[in-house]
Amino acid sequence: MKPAASLLAFTTLSGLGLGLLVFLSLGLPPVSGWGAFAFFAISFLLAGGGLSISALHLGRPERALKAFREWRTSWLSREAWASVTALGLTGLYALPLLFDGPRLWPIGILAAAACIATVMCTGSIYAALRAVPRWHHWSTPAMFVAYAVTGGALLAGQVTMAMALLAATGIAQFLAWRTGDARVARRFGTRNTATGLHGHVRLFERPHTGENYVTEEMVFVVARKHATKLRSIALVLAFALPLVLLALPFSHLLGVAAVLSHAAGVVVARWLFFAEAEHVVGLYYGR
Amino acid sequence: MRQPDPDRSPKVSDEVRKTTCYMCACRCGIDVHLKNGEVAYIEGNRDHPVNHGVLCAKGASGIMQHLSPARLRAPLKRTGPRGSGEFEEISWDEALELAVSWMKPIRESAPEKLAFFTGRDQSQSFTSYWAQAFGTPNYAAHGGFCSVNMAAAGIYTMGGAFWEFGQPDWERTKLFLLFGVAEDHDSNPLKMGLGRLKERGVKTIGVNPIRTGYNAVADEWVGITPGTDGLFILALVHCLLEAGKIDLDYLARWTNAPALVDEDPKSDRYGLLLRDDEDRLLVIDRRTGRPAPYDGAGVKPDLRGKVRRAGITHRSVFQLIAGRYLSKDFAPEAVEGRTGVPAARIRRIAAELAHVAFDQAIEIDQPWTDFRGERHEKMIGRPVSVHAMRGISAHSNGFQTCRALHFLQILLGSVETPGGFRFKPPYPKSAEAHPKPCADPHPGQPLDGPHLGFVHGPEDLLYREDGTPARIDKAFTWENPMSAHGLMHMVISNAHAGDPYRIDTLFLYMANMAWNSSMGTGRAMEMLSDTDEDGEYVIPRIIYSDAYSSEMVAYADLVLPDTTYLERHDCISLLDRPISEPDAAADAIRWPVVEPDRDVRGFQSVLVDLAARLGLPGFVEEDGTPRYADYADYMIRHERRPGVGPLAGWRVGETGMTHGRGAPNEAQLDSYIANGGFWMGHVPAEGAFYKPWNMAYQDWAVETGLTDAPRPYLFDLFCEPLRRFQLAAEGRTEPQPPDHLRERIKLTLDPLPIWYPPMEDGHADPVEYPLHALTQRPPAMYHSWGGQNAWLRQIHGSNPLYLPSHLWQAHGFSEGDWARVSSAHGEIVVPVAEMAALNDNTVWTWNAIGKRKGAWALDDKAPEATKGFLLNHLIHELLPEKGDGLRWSNSDPVTGQAAWFDLRVRIERVDRDPGESYPVTEPQASPVGRGPKTVAQKVGE
Amino acid sequence: MTDLPETTERKLGLVIDLDICVGCHACVTACKGWNTENYGAPLADDDAYGEEPVGAFLNRVHSFEVTPESGPAQLVHFPRSCLHCDDAPCVTVCPTGASWKRAEDGIVLVNEDECIGCGLCAWACPYGAREMDPSAQVMKKCTLCVDRIDNENLDPIDREPACVRTCPTGARHFGDLGDPESAVSQLVEERGGMDLMPEQGTKPVNKYLPPRPKDEEIDVLAPLLAPVADEPRGFLGWLDKALERMG
Ligand SMILES: Nc1nc2c(c(=O)[nH]1)N[C@H]1C(S)=C(S)[C@@H](COP(=O)(O)OP(=O)(O)OC[C@H]3O[C@@H](n4cnc5c(=O)[nH]c(N)nc54)[C@H](O)[C@@H]3O)O[C@H]1N2
Ligand SMILES: Nc1nc2c(c(=O)[nH]1)N[C@H]1C(S)=C(S)[C@@H](COP(=O)(O)OP(=O)(O)OC[C@H]3O[C@@H](n4cnc5c(=O)[nH]c(N)nc54)[C@H](O)[C@@H]3O)O[C@H]1N2
Ligand code: SF4
Ligand code: SF4
Ligand code: SF4
Ligand code: SF4
Ligand code: SF4
Ligand SMILES: [Mo]
């Protein structure tokens, strides 16, 4: 699939933002006043910014509100509801804190759940696509949540938890790639099933000599050797390096570096998430 | 939950106007839907005899051609150097006066100095009439580089060709063979026919080095080595003769197989056919055992005939045939190596042919009477049918190969019999019923007769008094005596070389000669813009009519912009290439279903206007006033022979409306329009088959005005005119050919079909250039016209060269690679792709996708201009010099047909992606600007 | 409207015969022509005369090369458009309800006024049957010519999809695949009509008829020819007899 910049930005930023909100809503760290303002501002900028960037991906952004309609079947619609709920609840939770008011625990817990639900919805949008076997698995939303909370823990300065999560998510990502590879090999279908033809089937001519919406969106091919290299880079940047940085004696600078390294790693991993996800339609275009 | 409910019955249009498609030369009927007076949608006309409602990809994209940004807008006068594409727009008055100022002096002094050549227009009976009135001998359409081998071989052998002039009996045939066809002119009827065959479970065999399109759906594929079909066909003939599986009765009655050949090498008629004093062909009548005229009442011609006359032995053509083709030279085992078709397979296909023709014969209970007066109770059919086109004709042995194919059909008795091949009126028409060519110019006067025709011996060749060829293209000379369509591919190079003479004005219409229709595109562009020592252009003046901003436009001094096909009158006439069906004569019109929004004029109307300004006979009244207002007026009022005009439908008879023969009818076009743009006149049931010999058909043809008297004839298995040229080459008769051509004429103008290797093989070393390089018509593109079409260019925006898998692997190619392709004449660097369903010694590409930068209102970076390419850069109209000091023409030695498919090449992988196909031609300026960024055409709300 | 109907009264769809499709692309442009002028926004082309033209098409024809176990390689032309799946994933993912499957005949459509152009339905379709219009930025797909098949302004004989009407070889058939008696169902039955990507579980309505076997070497009906003679003289002897028999 095409790793569109808007989707990379949207999933990365909103994941980090919502992840941070999860922690803030659970009082980790227990911010208030200007501290709360700063933390919530960052998290809202990330989450809200990410979500609004997602509207850029729409052909008709002015009609974005229609997306709330089909929550009964569509994960995208559910994501819309979940995100509004999450932002609403975290807002409700944050508001008193800004004025050093009370910490509304029940709302905080609900807000954290809504943030996680939002990220789960995002992941489920992809996981629901049977036509993309690499995504079509429970691990897809799980990894989205794992990334979000890991990033959130980092941003929230929860060093120990962050270290644990970094290690766990890193390993999980490694396993997810491996199982994803196996799933693709198993479930992708073949040019024979795609065409119903027997014998060795090979694309002779594309229907049109140029590209089209489908090839541009869905027939993005990343060379295998690049993928392996990028996977290593993603693992190092997103997990290994931040772990090392956190393991060093604490300093804010190192903390910031860990966050930046993680964010960069997430971008690479997200790029791979899209770029490596092959759509079965590729079978009609010479995969 | 409530569902949305889209409008199920939207209004389709305000009005439907029925006319004829011209996205290609197939001439399908179209329904043009208009909304608010604008073209909204085009679909096929269900009632139309050609397409019965279907359209091809091009036809359905007509709206994009009609709205193309490349449409010319006004007459253009060149301002920059030739080829630059720099022009100023001028008025029609200025343009026409300029043209007249060039043409008038030519006509008055030396009419041959105007050379008028046309491309794939469909008004050749009109354009040739114009050229005849002008008086220049230098006129032809593009047939010489297109498919004259097919046409001439068909007419010289059986009085009609495949092409548009006949078709398989789709409804009855039980085995169908397709030779060397990718699309063909009759492309929708062919596709519909193939569909019908599939429905009936009829087997199709595709003989083609490349397995795409029609050949891909064929039940069996014969991936023959290019240029060897003649051998394959004659091996089939060998097997059939050997097994006695030929239609003896048919051969005896309807062909010249029983005619008697002079067998005495000492006779001056050696090899000619025996005739009586009245020049009637003689056969042995089996009733009497004595010679009798072939068409005498009740004569039963004897296939074994033999007679001694004046001491000279004559033996039947049939015996000659048996002698030649039973020879081991034509045995499948002898040809399998060259053709790449295993002997066992040739034998099996021969057996299938025999089985279907004789064991599955058809009988129709339809009595009929032949030209000898004999009544037949039934029509017997041999349901094997064949179709072929440029794959066999565009080789330098194409004439003989096409003849071999007809020979095979005739031996099986499957021409003009049920289930076989059927002619479409005005065909059948023997070669002798056609005129002979004329080329004597008289200043200020019209030419004595038509330019093109059929020669029957050396005395019909066209030379001037000084012994030089009479025509600029050297048609009808010893080099290519039977060049029935002229040689358009030689015009530019001959005019440039001043050989046989210099011309003044080159007048071209609808032919992209600076690009895809020239053999050697680079050289064509050079010759068109070359100057002499005084800085004057070697070809002094070029006038060109195109509708679009093509590559050729850039080389004209004066451009006469045509309309699109929806904006003008056209006439698809029984006088040239009508839309008939085997069961009906039919003709059609185009008419302006919308008016042009630019300062353009239908070219035929412009010719009518020019003719009037030049005072050409036939185009002006006695007092010099114009006879016709425009082309529509000409279509209605012109009479070629009394009662016979361009259109056969709705003429005025003695008692009222009539068809075929009749006086002009002022309202004729209205009748055509009301009838969907076409007219059809049905052949009577008794005349449906055996047309050349069937009196019911012959009489109907006279009635309909197709001919003035019944003209039954025999099929010429033995082609006597060829023998007459051979006789001269043997030194027996006058006039004689130049010495250097003697051997070639003796070899290639054999009166019985033969095979010889393509000429280029004899000249370019096949070891150095081991591969055959071919082009194919893409179904969704018409030559260069399609490139400007926003929809079609997405289907074919660039073209790779396809290589067979074994080469692909041997050279280590992978996807996205490029190759250098060289021939004896040039070199190109192009993208390549792999193909397994391809003859092992063949590479190919789609034809005419490559474009020059700046042409067709396309962006300079358009893939057509950067990746697309032409194979034409590797082709030359002359073969390389081969030690005899001569440059032989790269054409068929009989007809002059351009041998496009003789091309031999070599390939090498290039290491780096060159980014652009080589050669890169300098961009031309666009006189129409560039196309818009986005197209979202919708007329209705 | 993104719930799929439990069942549909009819299952309208296409049956495409791979045995006779010559890959002419006629159906491609006929579809483009009709659907540009009719249902919804015109099918636009971006960079129409430029370097990278990209237009919306509802039907495209691929070609595949097939190398069988034995025998020469073959070419199969392969038209591909929306299959109007019974279990259409493109419909259920749509967040707005713009995509829906009609309960009465099973046609899958996009209500362009409701479409936000999110592209998710195109991702969900395994067959690449949906394309975003480059100009209107709404999702486009085969409408099965809903505005033709019941159109009272058309002659009854013309109430069929544009691509079916135009196909010169007759490779495309339209009808009710839910009715076992319909001509299309019969055809599917006779010719072993197949589903594309059955593993995707989409239950396509459209069916493809497989190419018939090609290049079969032995034709039992045509025994090899027995020579009547092996040299010209013998042949003339045979000829004498044959002509005598003819009388
Ligand atoms: N769509 C479309 N239709 C067209 C045209 C077009 O440009 N586009 N052009 C029109 C014109 S002007 C013409 S002349 C006709 C031509 O119609 P076709 O005769 O169909 O022309 P080509 O595409 O040149 O096809 C030649 C075929 O012959 C095969 N071939 C080449 N050499 C040999 C050989 O030695 N033996 C055999 N058996 N086969 C061989 C090639 O593989 C190819 O399939 O088409 C007309 N119709
Ligand atoms: N390599 C290779 N080259 C070939 C062939 C091949 O098989 N291989 N085939 C050869 C054959 S058979 C042919 S017929 C030629 C065809 O070659 P051309 O005859 O050059 O064919 P087109 O490209 O169609 O060019 C015709 C010109 O007519 C113009 N035109 C289109 N419509 C109209 C109109 O309505 N009015 C006017 N006035 N002009 C119009 C077009 O814009 C174009 O400039 O190509 C030949 N060249
Ligand atoms: S074959 Fe196609 S382009 Fe040619 S006349 Fe017919 S519909 Fe038009
Ligand atoms: S129109 Fe018919 S034959 Fe042509 S590509 Fe489409 S389905 Fe195939
Ligand atoms: S083919 Fe694709 S677009 Fe059509 S119904 Fe099936 S999933 Fe949806
Ligand atoms: S692109 Fe339109 S139709 Fe498709 S899922 Fe999004 S809103 Fe629905
Ligand atoms: S049914 Fe209509 S919309 Fe669908 S592919 Fe055919 S022409 Fe296009
Ligand atoms: Mo041609």
Side-chain angles (χ1 to χ4, degrees):
Chain A
M1 309 292 287
K2 178 167 107 184
S6 59
L7 289 181
L8 291 185
F10 153 55
T11 59
T12 309
L13 297 180
S14 68
L16 286 173
L18 290 165
L20 176 54
L21 284 175
V22 169
F23 284 91
L24 295 179
S25 305
L26 296 177
L28 301 167
V31 282
S32 61
W34 283 110
F37 184 81
F39 266 107
F40 278 106
I42 289 172
S43 59
F44 273 105
L45 270 177
L46 288 171
L51 288 166
S52 28
I53 287 175
S54 79
L56 290 184
H57 190 67
L58 301 181
R60 302 295 286 257
E62 77 279 10
R63 296 178 180 168
L65 286 182
K66 293 183 193 283
F68 284 87
R69 231 181 265 157
E70 297 297 333
W71 51 271
R72 281 172 307 126
T73 62
S74 168
W75 284 106
L76 181 53
S77 201
R78 289 170 193 161
E79 181 200 46
W81 282 109
S83 61
V84 169
T85 313
L87 294 182
L89 286 173
T90 43
L92 215 59
Y93 169 79
L95 208 60
L97 295 180
L98 299 182
F99 305 99
D100 291 324
R103 188 173 299 279
L104 306 171
W105 281 109
I107 292 181
I109 290 168
L110 282 178
C115 289
I116 288 180
T118 306
V119 179
M120 255 181 64
C121 287
T122 306
S124 297
I125 293 173
Y126 303 112
L129 299 174
R130 193 165 180 169
V132 188
R134 186 177 289 281
W135 288 348
H136 187 53
H137 195 249
W138 60 263
S139 60
T140 299
M143 285 311 299
F144 267 76
V145 172
Y147 270 97
V149 289
T150 307
L154 259 179
L155 284 173
Q158 306 300 306
V159 179
T160 335
M161 205 172 324
M163 287 177 72
L165 281 168
L166 280 170
T169 306
I171 292 168
Q173 175 63 85
F174 179 75
L175 293 176
W177 275 331
R178 297 292 297 269
T179 56
D181 292 345
R183 189 160 57 245
V184 170
R186 223 171 41 243
R187 297 250 184 84
F188 201 78
T190 63
R191 286 191 293 255
N192 297 91
T193 62
T195 61
L197 300 170
H198 302 292
H200 176 71
V201 176
R202 186 178 74 87
L203 181 72
F204 172 64
E205 268 186 333
R206 279 185 171 206
H208 290 49
T209 48
E211 300 297 321
N212 61 46
Y213 175 74
V214 170
T215 60
E216 281 181 354
E217 271 302 283
M218 286 168 253
V219 193
F220 186 90
V221 200
V222 50
R224 185 166 297 243
K225 60 175 196 277
H226 294 304
T228 321
K229 205 185 302 160
L230 287 170
R231 279 184 184 181
S232 317
I233 292 174
L235 285 181
V236 168
L237 285 180
F239 307 109
L241 192 59
L243 253 178
V244 172
L245 292 173
L246 291 188
L248 294 175
F250 182 81
S251 88
H252 281 284
L253 211 63
L254 286 179
V256 171
V259 168
L260 290 179
S261 168
H262 176 75
V266 174
V267 171
V268 176
R270 274 297 137 73
W271 188 89
L272 278 170
F273 173 77
F274 289 103
E276 278 196 291
E278 284 178 277
H279 194 286
V280 293
V281 74
L283 293 170
Y284 295 109
Y285 283 96
R287 180 197 189 256
Chain B
M1 179 165 300
R2 256 193 54 238
Q3 302 190 54
D5 192 13
D7 185 358
R8 288 159 195 246
S9 290
K11 193 163 134 196
V12 177
S13 52
D14 306 334
E15 189 189 350
V16 179
R17 297 190 165 183
K18 291 172 187 280
T19 181
T20 307
C21 181
Y22 197 20
M23 296 295 286
C24 89
C26 184
R27 305 152 304 170
C28 300
I30 48 174
D31 292 357
V32 181
H33 291 260
L34 302 181
K35 283 182 187 164
N36 314 323
E38 283 184 67
V39 180
Y41 176 58
I42 299 176
E43 64 182 339
N45 176 350
R46 279 203 190 267
D47 306 319
H48 200 275
V50 172
N51 57 318
H52 299 277
V54 311
L55 286 187
C56 77
K58 297 160 280 145
S61 309
I63 191 166
M64 284 294 120
Q65 208 89 339
H66 175 63
L67 299 173
S68 159
R71 282 171 307 167
L72 298 174
R73 296 169 186 157
L76 298 172
K77 190 169 146 192
R78 184 170 56 78
T79 53
R82 281 219 189 126
S84 66
E86 289 157 24
F87 290 98
E88 61 175 356
E89 294 193 347
I90 58 174
S91 73
W92 273 101
D93 270 338
E94 213 179 321
L96 292 169
E97 270 157 33
L98 191 60
V100 168
S101 76
W102 293 349
M103 290 178 179
K104 207 170 187 111
I106 298 178
R107 181 161 197 267
E108 273 147 26
S109 57
E112 72 278 10
K113 290 199 176 290
L114 177 83
F116 181 32
F117 282 78
T118 77
R120 258 138 335 79
D121 74 294
Q122 296 174 342
S123 49
Q124 288 161 27
S125 79
F126 166 73
T127 50
S128 64
Y129 183 74
W130 187 96
Q132 207 179 311
F134 187 90
T136 176
N138 292 320
Y139 164 85
H142 72 290
F145 62 59
C146 178
S147 0
V148 63
N149 271 340
M150 200 84 244
I155 286 171
Y156 276 111
T157 308
M158 54 184 202
F162 298 125
W163 216 359
E164 299 118 294
F165 308 126
Q167 69 182 38
D169 186 356
W170 297 115
E171 300 307 316
R172 298 179 188 82
T173 199
K174 295 180 185 171
L175 178 63
F176 177 56
L177 270 70
L178 186 66
F179 282 83
V181 180
E183 268 298 301
D184 204 351
H185 292 96
D186 233 5
S187 55
N188 272 336
L190 267 171
K191 292 181 184 91
M192 289 152 67
L194 286 169
R196 292 286 297 117
L197 298 189
K198 287 277 180 180
E199 252 169 52
R200 293 197 294 116
V202 169
K203 178 167 178 179
T204 297
I205 301 179
V207 183
N208 199 310
I210 310 165
R211 194 178 205 180
T212 52
Y214 309 159
N215 296 287
V217 303
D219 302 283
E220 179 173 349
W221 174 54
V222 179
I224 196 162
T225 299
T228 65
D229 299 69
L231 275 182
F232 170 66
I233 295 164
L234 293 175
L236 293 173
V237 166
H238 173 93
C239 297
L240 292 167
L241 278 172
E242 190 180 53
K245 293 289 185 188
I246 43 182
D247 192 336
L248 296 175
D249 186 53
Y250 183 96
L251 294 174
R253 288 173 189 275
W254 318 128
T255 75
N256 69 0
L260 300 159
V261 185
D262 180 331
E263 280 211 314
D264 188 345
K266 288 193 289 293
S267 148
D268 58 358
R269 291 184 46 81
Y270 176 45
L272 294 181
L273 303 180
L274 185 64
R275 287 164 201 272
D276 65 10
D277 298 340
E278 285 153 60
D279 211 28
R280 286 182 303 183
L281 199 66
L282 293 178
V283 296
I284 303 295
D285 188 346
R286 285 172 60 205
R287 298 174 307 179
T288 61
R290 302 172 58 86
Y294 81 97
D295 54 353
V299 165
K300 283 194 182 311
D302 188 352
L303 283 177
R304 296 161 298 195
K306 185 176 169 188
V307 68
R308 260 181 92 77
R309 272 264 170 123
I312 292 170
T313 308
H314 295 78
R315 203 188 297 270
S316 71
V317 165
F318 190 73
Q319 297 187 45
L320 240 66
I321 290 174
R324 177 179 288 183
Y325 301 106
L326 282 169
S327 140
K328 291 277 174 280
D329 295 349
F330 293 107
E333 292 69 21
V335 308
E336 64 179 349
R338 278 205 112 119
T339 57
V341 189
R345 190 141 175 235
I346 300 177
R347 291 198 178 276
R348 180 184 42 78
I349 293 173
E352 283 187 53
L353 291 172
H355 172 69
V356 174
F358 301 107
D359 304 343
Q360 298 191 29
I362 301 180
E363 274 186 21
I364 298 182
D365 280 321
Q366 170 65 60
W368 65 284
T369 305
D370 72 26
F371 66 98
R372 298 188 180 97
E374 190 175 338
R375 181 101 179 136
H376 304 261
E377 286 314 312
K378 290 182 170 22
M379 293 179 159
I380 310 284
R382 309 273 174 222
V384 173
S385 61
V386 173
H387 185 80
M389 237 318 244
R390 290 184 65 255
I392 63 171
S393 72
H395 287 285
S396 55
N397 58 12
F399 177 82
Q400 288 286 7
T401 301
C402 297
R403 251 181 67 68
L405 190 53
H406 297 316
F407 195 81
L408 171 68
Q409 293 176 279
I410 294 170
L411 289 180
L412 288 168
S414 72
V415 179
E416 267 300 321
T417 58
F421 170 79
R422 307 182 67 189
F423 289 117
K424 309 188 209 181
Y427 291 87
K429 187 172 165 187
S430 81
E432 272 158 34
H434 287 262
K436 289 184 179 179
C438 291
D440 251 353
H442 315 291
Q445 298 296 313
L447 207 64
D448 302 330
H451 306 85
L452 302 174
F454 287 78
V455 297
H456 299 281
E459 62 287 358
D460 297 336
L461 295 181
L462 301 180
Y463 283 95
R464 300 196 292 183
E465 268 166 22
D466 63 0
T468 56
R471 290 175 52 105
I472 185 73
D473 58 0
K474 304 190 192 176
F476 308 108
T477 65
W478 289 105
E479 276 193 53
N480 22 249
M482 298 169 136
S483 37
H485 290 178
L487 285 84
M488 188 159 178
H489 51 297
M490 299 306 297
V491 173
I492 292 174
S493 49
N494 291 358
H496 177 258
D499 172 19
Y501 46 81
R502 300 222 157 267
I503 59 163
D504 181 84
T505 299
L506 179 59
F507 188 11
L508 295 175
Y509 168 39
M510 207 190 271
N512 204 359
M513 294 299 292
W515 199 247
N516 51 297
S517 45
S518 274
M519 302 180 97
T521 301
R523 277 176 307 100
M525 290 186 287
E526 274 166 36
M527 291 189 280
L528 289 168
S529 50
D530 197 15
T531 49
D532 59 19
E533 48 287 359
D534 304 330
E536 301 293 327
Y537 286 117
V538 176
I539 302 175
R541 294 190 178 108
I542 301 177
I543 308 179
Y544 181 46
S545 166
D546 201 311
Y548 309 101
S549 175
S550 68
E551 284 86 355
M552 183 61 215
V553 161
Y555 288 89
D557 305 316
L558 174 63
V559 179
L560 303 173
D562 204 349
T563 67
T564 71
Y565 69 108
L566 298 178
E567 299 165 326
R568 66 168 178 255
H569 281 103
D570 268 322
C571 178
I572 299 129
S573 166
L574 284 164
L575 298 179
D576 65 72
R577 297 160 79 170
I579 56 161
S580 303
E581 291 289 293
D583 285 318
D587 59 14
I589 63 161
R590 273 181 211 104
W591 58 287
V593 296
V594 285
E595 289 299 325
D597 56 357
R598 316 166 304 290
D599 195 14
V600 297
R601 293 186 186 171
F603 178 66
Q604 288 93 337
S605 287
V606 171
L607 277 186
V608 167
D609 189 336
L610 278 174
R613 289 171 195 247
L614 290 164
L616 301 189
F619 288 91
V620 287
E621 303 294 353
E622 310 255 298
D623 63 358
T625 54
R627 179 171 291 173
Y628 306 112
D630 54 16
Y631 190 50
D633 194 24
Y634 166 93
M635 283 159 60
I636 296 170
R637 293 199 297 118
H638 172 71
E639 285 180 279
R640 197 49 69 90
R641 308 193 305 277
V644 175
L647 291 169
W650 298 282
R651 303 188 71 83
V652 180
E654 270 161 30
T655 54
M657 202 66 98
T658 182
H659 302 292
R661 284 172 196 274
N665 162 14
E666 288 296 330
Q668 190 180 30
L669 297 185
D670 300 334
S671 298
Y672 271 83
I673 290 168
N675 192 53
F678 65 93
W679 166 82
M680 250 173 129
H682 290 273
V683 177
E686 192 185 331
F689 294 96
Y690 297 96
K691 291 187 188 110
W693 322 291
N694 182 327
M695 290 320 288
Y697 175 80
Q698 292 288 332
D699 293 341
W700 174 84
V702 174
E703 221 173 276
T704 312
L706 304 181
T707 146
D708 291 337
R711 294 199 72 160
Y713 61 93
L714 296 180
F715 284 171
D716 290 324
L717 286 178
F718 182 94
C719 182
E720 205 177 17
L722 288 167
R723 178 61 197 149
R724 296 199 187 102
F725 289 105
Q726 269 187 329
L727 267 183
E730 289 164 7
R732 296 168 193 269
T733 52
E734 291 293 332
Q736 297 205 354
D739 284 341
H740 73 277
L741 289 170
R742 276 183 202 278
E743 287 314 309
R744 190 174 96 164
I745 290 172
K746 284 191 231 169
L747 169 72
T748 59
L749 277 78
D750 196 304
L752 285 176
I754 49 155
W755 182 85
Y756 51 88
M759 298 283 173
E760 177 147 343
D761 287 8
H763 289 271
D765 186 353
V767 180
E768 198 180 337
Y769 301 106
L771 301 169
H772 299 264
L774 304 177
T775 54
Q776 295 203 99
R777 305 302 194 245
M781 213 24 105
Y782 201 57
H783 299 282
S784 59
W785 311 1
Q788 64 191 313
N789 190 299
W791 298 351
L792 296 176
R793 71 181 287 257
Q794 294 181 55
I795 300 176
H796 288 290
S798 58
N799 53 316
L801 185 76
Y802 288 103
L803 313 180
S805 296
H806 75 97
L807 266 186
W808 184 263
Q809 283 146 18
H811 287 260
F813 280 112
S814 54
E815 214 182 303
D817 276 356
W818 294 63
R820 175 176 299 106
V821 188
S822 342
S823 75
H825 312 287
E827 184 178 300
I828 58 178
V829 178
V830 301
V832 289
E834 182 188 355
M835 182 181 196
L838 175 59
N839 175 287
D840 274 350
N841 307 310
T842 302
V843 300
W844 73 279
T845 191
W846 296 117
N847 189 42
I849 301 299
K851 300 285 173 308
R852 185 176 166 196
K853 292 191 176 84
W856 305 103
L858 297 180
D859 193 289
D860 281 357
K861 292 207 206 73
E864 291 89 338
T866 56
K867 279 194 177 149
F869 67 93
L870 297 179
L871 223 45
N872 301 46
H873 291 285
L874 299 178
I875 306 179
H876 202 295
E877 65 281 356
L878 299 176
L879 295 174
E881 204 272 321
K882 191 71 184 184
D884 54 6
L886 295 168
R887 300 258 344 238
W888 297 84
S889 147
N890 185 13
S891 301
D892 186 285
V894 183
T895 62
Q897 150 101 52
W900 301 98
F901 297 157
D902 281 2
L903 177 63
R904 293 292 212 132
V905 302
R906 164 182 83 222
I907 58 165
E908 301 148 77
R909 197 171 157 270
V910 294
D911 294 337
R912 267 180 310 129
D913 178 349
E916 251 188 12
S917 293
Y918 172 85
V920 181
T921 308
E922 277 297 291
Q924 68 191 64
S926 172
V928 294
R930 304 293 164 126
K933 172 107 173 70
T934 304
V935 170
Q937 166 68 17
K938 186 165 188 157
V939 176
E941 284 84 66
Chain C
M1 257 325 293
T2 45
D3 281 337
L4 287 166
E6 296 266 309
T7 55
T8 59
E9 286 157 40
R10 297 193 292 162
K11 292 184 196 300
L12 295 184
L14 300 177
V15 172
I16 294 173
D17 189 346
L18 299 180
D19 191 50
I20 176 61
C21 172
V22 292
C24 68
H25 298 264
C27 49
V28 175
T29 59
C31 170
K32 179 108 175 170
W34 174 262
N35 288 290
T36 284
E37 188 53 33
N38 292 285
Y39 193 99
L43 292 166
D45 304 285
D46 192 36
D47 204 15
Y49 303 97
E51 184 178 5
E52 289 174 344
V54 174
F57 285 80
L58 311 184
N59 174 32
R60 293 179 185 257
V61 181
H62 301 236
S63 29
F64 291 97
E65 195 168 70
V66 178
T67 313
E69 299 266 309
S70 68
Q74 303 169 9
L75 213 69
V76 178
H77 302 292
F78 191 93
R80 183 188 48 74
S81 56
C82 170
L83 308 168
H84 299 280
C85 306
D86 264 350
D87 218 334
C90 57
V91 170
T92 48
V93 297
C94 177
T96 65
S99 273
W100 92 101
K101 184 172 174 72
R102 297 215 295 198
E104 68 267 40
D105 53 20
I107 300 180
V108 175
L109 289 167
V110 173
N111 179 352
E112 291 176 11
D113 294 338
E114 296 300 314
C115 173
I116 59 174
C118 68
L120 197 52
C121 51
W123 286 17
C125 170
Y127 309 104
R130 290 174 169 244
E131 300 188 10
M132 188 89 77
D133 186 83
S135 183
Q137 290 292 318
V138 292
M139 195 52 71
K140 286 288 184 180
K141 67 173 294 298
C142 160
T143 63
L144 209 62
C145 291
V146 273
D147 43 7
R148 287 186 65 91
I149 56 179
D150 296 323
N151 192 327
E152 282 160 14
N153 295 314
L154 287 171
D155 273 346
I157 190 174
D158 281 333
R159 292 179 200 162
E160 61 178 4
C163 58
V164 174
R165 187 188 190 278
T166 209
C167 174
T169 63
R172 306 174 76 88
H173 306 265
F174 164 74
D176 181 2
L177 286 138
D179 170 8
E181 300 304 314
S182 70
V184 279
S185 298
Q186 300 280 316
L187 203 56
V188 169
E189 180 67 31
E190 262 163 50
R191 295 275 309 281
M194 57 202 187
D195 284 352
L196 305 186
M197 290 188 182
E199 72 277 9
Q200 285 284 329
T202 50
K203 305 206 195 91
V205 169
N206 285 12
K207 296 283 182 281
Y208 284 73
L209 306 179
R212 296 184 175 95
K214 300 243 153 59
D215 303 311
E216 287 176 313
E217 266 299 325
I218 305 303
D219 187 328
V220 280
L221 290 175
L224 283 183
L225 295 175
V228 295
D230 46 15
E231 35 96 38
R233 192 178 295 272
F235 179 78
L236 291 180
W238 166 83
L239 180 62
D240 277 338
K241 284 190 220 111
L243 291 174
E244 255 140 49
R245 271 199 305 278
M246 275 167 50

